[in-house]
Amino acid sequence: MSKRFGDFVALDDVSLSVESGSLTALLGPSGGGKSTLLRVIAGLEVPDTGEVWISGQEATALKPQKRDVGFVFQHYAPFTHMTVFDNIAFGLTIRRRPKDEVRARVEELLELVQLKGLGGRYPAQLSGGQRQRMALARALASQPEVLLLDEPFGALDARVRKELREWLLRLHDEMHVTTIFVTHDQEEALELADTVVVMNAGRIEQVAPPRELYDEPANAFVMSFVGPVNRVGNAWVRPHDIEIGHEPREDAHEAQVERIVRLGFEVRVDLVRDDGLRLHVQLTRHEADLLEIAVGDIVWVRMRVERTFSAGGEPTHPVPV
């Protein structure tokens, strides 16, 4: 499908198939087309060309409420005058479902999203994380075929985001509802998704499982966007593929240690080579302890693995050095 907003191309001949029951991430920079694609699937935007199919049925011309899709935005706006229970029940109530059925479904969801006993509270009495769980419960109330999440945890602090990611993964493992979520957070995408769709400038750059995406990037953009990387001439080198030593070697460059940051098991080292190139290196704590390096030390660095890409962007084979 394709979608324009005036002269801006939001989606440029995009084609994507999502497996039923999977958890799929749309990952990419701002303006890459992620949210537009999600809104087209939901029926909130109409594509200029192309079709949307959900579970074997064409949904392109269907209104959002007819698509059997649940949608959760980053900035969820609940009905502040309604209790948590009534917010979750809203979609079922307007469908005129029997009261006993509504109550049973809402009570089930309150327990599922870990809000049991809080149904009588109002949204203002909940934490940010609890409000997002309420939003997910409301989206799940009508038992949608597809659940769409547009950066649902982006407005929360890092600790709460991590807790909600773990909770969402457990929820998905229990419910197996087809879920597509938008994020610009690489860690979030790689941790949660079965499949990651990398988008840039309205196009899909690569669709792959997290490990394949990191180890076998389809082009230079994916290599540079997914995970930390160093540019060394025409090659790309992951920080963990750089070796530091104290003895000179023919295939190594002299470098000076500028900064050392210890983050638990990982140690990050910033270097500047004798040719002026700045490098970021990742070591394990054990490796760093054996090296006994300090800021200002002169060391020797070599690249263990380099990746290069053709002029057309296609990868060549990783080159052990």
Side-chain angles (χ1 to χ4, degrees):
M1 63 179 60
S2 296
K3 177 67 179 177
R4 285 177 174 266
F5 297 99
D7 293 332
F8 177 69
V9 180
L11 296 175
D12 184 7
D13 194 26
V14 165
S15 184
L16 176 66
S17 178
V18 175
E19 185 177 349
S20 293
S22 67
L23 188 57
T24 299
L26 304 182
L27 174 68
S30 297
K34 309 181 299 296
S35 291
T36 300
L37 178 55
L38 207 71
R39 291 174 65 84
V40 167
I41 295 170
L44 302 175
E45 299 287 354
V46 179
D48 300 328
T49 63
E51 300 170 339
V52 178
W53 290 71
I54 299 175
S55 295
Q57 301 296 318
E58 186 178 359
T60 317
L62 293 179
K63 294 181 179 180
Q65 58 268 32
K66 298 291 186 180
R67 294 195 180 201
D68 202 13
V69 166
F71 204 121
V72 178
F73 297 91
Q74 176 179 343
H75 298 285
Y76 173 63
F79 297 116
T80 56
H81 64 287
M82 294 167 57
T83 65
V84 171
F85 184 98
D86 290 336
N87 265 280
I88 296 173
F90 181 78
L92 297 173
T93 302
I94 62 174
R95 288 178 173 84
R96 301 184 183 280
R97 306 305 303 168
K99 288 185 178 181
D100 289 346
E101 178 187 325
V102 172
R103 176 165 293 279
R105 178 63 176 159
V106 173
E107 291 294 347
E108 176 189 359
L109 285 166
L110 284 169
E111 184 166 358
L112 189 66
V113 302
Q114 299 174 0
L115 293 177
K116 187 176 181 180
L118 302 182
R121 292 191 183 183
Y122 289 87
Q125 297 172 303
L126 301 180
S127 67
Q130 288 173 330
R131 283 196 293 272
Q132 283 302 86
R133 294 207 300 273
M134 179 182 71
L136 280 161
R138 179 172 160 177
L140 291 167
S142 59
Q143 297 178 304
E145 193 76 23
V146 180
L147 179 63
L148 305 176
L149 311 175
D150 194 356
E151 299 202 50
F153 311 140
L156 304 171
D157 66 56
R159 182 184 62 81
V160 176
R161 282 203 310 270
K162 188 175 188 308
E163 290 175 357
L164 284 179
R165 287 204 302 260
E166 294 171 353
W167 170 80
L168 179 62
L169 200 55
R170 291 195 299 271
L171 180 70
H172 182 265
D173 288 344
E174 184 170 335
M175 297 193 68
H176 297 291
V177 61
T178 305
T179 303
I180 306 172
F181 69 98
V182 164
T183 183
H184 63 269
D185 186 324
Q186 300 172 28
E187 182 180 333
E188 189 167 275
L190 298 178
E191 179 182 340
L192 288 178
D194 303 312
T195 301
V196 180
V197 181
V198 180
M199 298 189 67
N200 180 43
R203 299 186 67 87
I204 292 176
E205 300 283 355
Q206 187 173 0
V207 180
R211 182 171 180 176
E212 180 182 331
L213 198 73
Y214 187 87
D215 292 339
E216 301 175 34
N219 53 44
F221 174 81
V222 178
M223 180 79 192
S224 64
F225 189 78
V226 179
V229 71
N230 294 280
R231 184 72 183 269
V232 182
N234 294 322
W236 302 84
V237 183
R238 296 289 188 195
H240 55 76
D241 285 327
I242 299 178
E243 183 180 278
I244 298 177
H246 290 293
E247 301 298 327
R249 295 178 48 163
E250 286 187 9
D251 57 351
H253 277 263
E254 190 176 317
Q256 185 172 32
V257 179
E258 285 196 325
R259 187 166 180 256
I260 300 173
V261 179
R262 293 181 175 271
L263 298 169
F265 179 76
E266 178 190 350
V267 178
R268 299 178 185 175
V269 182
D270 293 342
L271 305 165
V272 57
R273 282 197 333 191
D274 53 5
D275 57 2
L277 179 68
R278 295 186 181 279
L279 296 171
H280 305 288
V281 183
Q282 288 178 329
L283 304 173
T284 66
R285 185 170 61 184
H286 178 66
E287 289 172 331
D289 289 343
L290 289 176
L291 282 169
E292 297 183 333
I293 55 174
V295 173
D297 282 358
I298 301 300
V299 295
W300 293 81
V301 295
R302 64 181 290 271
M303 313 304 156
R304 284 192 285 249
V305 177
E306 295 181 349
R307 290 182 181 272
T308 57
F309 298 87
S310 69
E314 294 81 11
T316 59
H317 292 294
V319 180
V321 179

